[in-house]
Amino acid sequence: MGTSGEPRPGALRARGVAAALGAAVLLAGTPACSSGGGDGSRTATPTTAAPPTAAPPTGAAGRDQACEVDLPGGWSDALAAGRVPVPDGERAVLAEAGPGAGWSVLQSSGPEQGPGPSAGRSVVLREGDEERRVMRLADPVEHQVGSADFDGRWLVFDVVEGRQLESPWTLYAWDATTGRREAVAEAEAESAGGGQSAVPGPFVQAVVRSGRLFWAQGTGGGRSAVYARDLDGGERRTVYEGVVDTPFAAGGLLVWLRQGESSGRPETRLAAVSMDTLRPADLPGPIAALRNVRYVASDGRTWAWAGGDPDRPRLYAWREGWPEPLALVRGGGAGAVPEPELGGIDQVQVSGELVTWRTTEAAWALDLRSQSYTRVTPRYGYALARDGGLAVAYPEGEAKATETKDVIQLTQTALLPPLPDCAR
């Protein structure tokens, strides 16, 4: 979730895996999605797990396509009020923000040399106004924080040792009650070009809930595994093995895209387990029916994803109570370049009635209450909606200039009024 004008290595790795999965189905001639984003027909009863913090859905959508509006003053004021202070001479990259924007994890970079705590590059956990520097990275130039998550006690984060897709990485767990840190996983290594590189696999977007850690990594031969481990002394357990993309939390479920076959041709579909029992879990019928979609996200009740041709993508959404998914944000006509709101779409996130995503130009937010969307960063940046919170990050000025300030803003979604409804 880098905000300094260059995508973090984890984001590149994630895009590579998703592209590989998508390329397999497109080369086989399988349609990327139907009008609802999928071409399957399996229906299932959703497993009920711990309820998400987002407000419950309310009824069906009013229109089948959203419209763009300007960022209203109520939104910009709420975001400005939650700006994270970044001291002069330091740079900050947002790695993750928690429910209700109550905590955030930053990669903070200060002078490369010096005795102070801000020297070099560090992993920083912020809870309210309290800031704790969890770890100083060994290489302040090449090493980067890929992703992070926090459950109130355990902070998990991965450190990538370079800027390439194949750069080695290590996943750490830090106990906020004791201050102890442990390396809990690392990339499988393979020989390449006379050296060692990480076995290709999904982006290591670790998830931690109630002391249980989940992640996926490449295991070789084009395959990956989804793992679980209890951080209070548990052993690593294999949840799934196959060709998979990065797992994500959806309420009480862990969900991932997996590749299989249909009529002899490859296709991708979603699979899920309960994060409590680790047993396979059913997904809502319209979600279980999705095929060959990308960048899926959910809070357990609202779902969003990218579908359609990668050169002309659409942003779909579905909520409990809707009869079918809707392509609410669509590309334009016959032009070769997608609209700014969809060009290079990735990093879709969901919180209740808010969907965020990033493109090569900016970060965006879709409000399902009004079925309108807006640009939430003035330039390339990142927006993260999660469980009643919204985080926005972008560089203020030229991204790589020494005088550039990093803007990181956190707010609760309850403070955001509905976006204007352009149908009125």
Side-chain angles (χ1 to χ4, degrees):
M1 302 177 188
T3 66
S4 301
E6 55 188 60
R8 60 180 184 168
L12 292 172
R13 213 161 48 240
R15 188 176 299 139
V17 173
L21 288 171
V25 298
L26 290 173
L27 288 173
T30 306
C33 64
S34 68
S35 60
D39 58 10
S41 59
R42 184 173 75 92
T43 59
T45 302
T47 295
T48 301
T53 58
T58 54
R63 296 191 306 276
D64 64 356
Q65 186 169 353
C67 57
E68 183 181 353
V69 298
D70 292 333
L71 183 70
W75 282 51
S76 56
D77 290 346
L79 288 167
R83 181 164 177 169
V84 174
V86 179
D88 291 339
E90 293 188 29
R91 300 298 303 269
V93 174
L94 176 67
E96 187 61 86
W103 56 262
S104 59
V105 179
L106 310 178
Q107 173 186 284
S108 177
S109 300
E112 290 188 21
Q113 311 233 343
S118 63
R121 179 170 289 177
S122 300
V123 181
V124 175
L125 171 65
R126 287 182 57 90
E127 292 184 89
D129 294 329
E130 181 183 359
E131 183 176 288
R132 287 182 280 183
R133 292 183 182 264
V134 172
M135 176 179 172
R136 182 178 294 188
L137 306 190
D139 187 328
V141 176
E142 291 299 318
H143 290 192
Q144 302 179 66
V145 180
S147 66
D149 199 14
F150 183 54
D151 67 359
R153 175 185 174 184
W154 294 99
L155 171 66
V156 297
F157 58 95
D158 68 284
V159 175
V160 185
E161 300 174 9
R163 300 172 181 268
Q164 307 302 316
L165 296 180
E166 65 275 10
S167 296
W169 54 264
T170 302
L171 178 61
Y172 294 92
W174 176 78
D175 187 344
T177 62
T178 66
R180 296 183 61 182
R181 185 182 69 243
E182 177 188 3
V184 292
E186 61 183 14
E188 299 280 349
E190 64 179 7
S191 298
Q196 295 290 308
S197 62
V199 169
F203 172 33
V204 187
Q205 178 75 57
V207 173
V208 63
R209 296 291 187 274
S210 302
R212 179 170 287 175
L213 169 67
F214 301 90
W215 78 100
Q217 67 180 90
T219 55
R223 296 173 65 83
S224 301
V226 179
Y227 295 118
R229 176 182 168 181
D230 292 328
L231 292 173
D232 249 341
E235 297 294 324
R236 187 183 75 177
R237 286 178 281 180
T238 301
V239 176
Y240 181 83
E241 289 184 282
V243 181
V244 303
D245 205 353
T246 306
F248 61 93
L253 303 181
L254 188 76
V255 184
W256 61 90
L257 279 169
R258 64 179 179 86
Q259 183 172 298
E261 288 191 358
S262 177
S263 301
R265 295 185 292 187
E267 68 173 14
T268 60
R269 62 177 67 187
L270 290 165
V273 297
S274 163
M275 288 194 283
D276 182 28
T277 67
L278 301 184
R279 294 174 181 169
D282 290 331
L283 293 164
I287 303 304
L290 295 178
R291 300 291 185 270
N292 308 331
V293 296
R294 306 176 297 283
Y295 308 119
V296 187
S298 175
D299 62 4
R301 292 176 173 171
T302 302
W303 297 75
W305 61 92
D309 190 317
D311 293 330
R312 181 63 64 187
R314 296 181 172 190
L315 181 69
Y316 289 81
W318 179 83
R319 311 190 76 198
E320 290 180 356
W322 290 13
E324 61 182 9
L326 294 177
L328 290 173
V329 185
R330 310 178 187 180
V337 179
E339 303 303 313
E341 62 269 26
L342 285 172
I345 181 173
D346 69 0
Q347 296 188 357
V348 178
Q349 302 287 345
V350 172
S351 174
E353 294 169 308
L354 191 65
V355 179
T356 59
W357 70 98
R358 186 183 70 171
T359 70
T360 54
E361 290 198 10
W364 304 78
L366 167 67
D367 191 338
L368 297 178
R369 296 171 295 183
S370 56
Q371 285 190 244
S372 51
Y373 61 92
T374 189
R375 183 191 296 241
V376 292
T377 63
R379 57 187 62 85
Y380 179 85
Y382 187 73
L384 165 65
R386 176 174 174 178
D387 295 338
L390 173 64
V392 170
Y394 61 93
E396 194 172 59
E398 292 297 325
K400 297 185 178 181
T402 56
E403 68 276 9
T404 295
K405 299 290 290 184
D406 295 306
V407 177
I408 298 175
Q409 301 169 320
L410 308 172
T411 190
Q412 297 178 10
T413 57
L415 300 177
L416 302 174
L419 289 177
D421 183 348
C422 41
R424 295 176 181 172

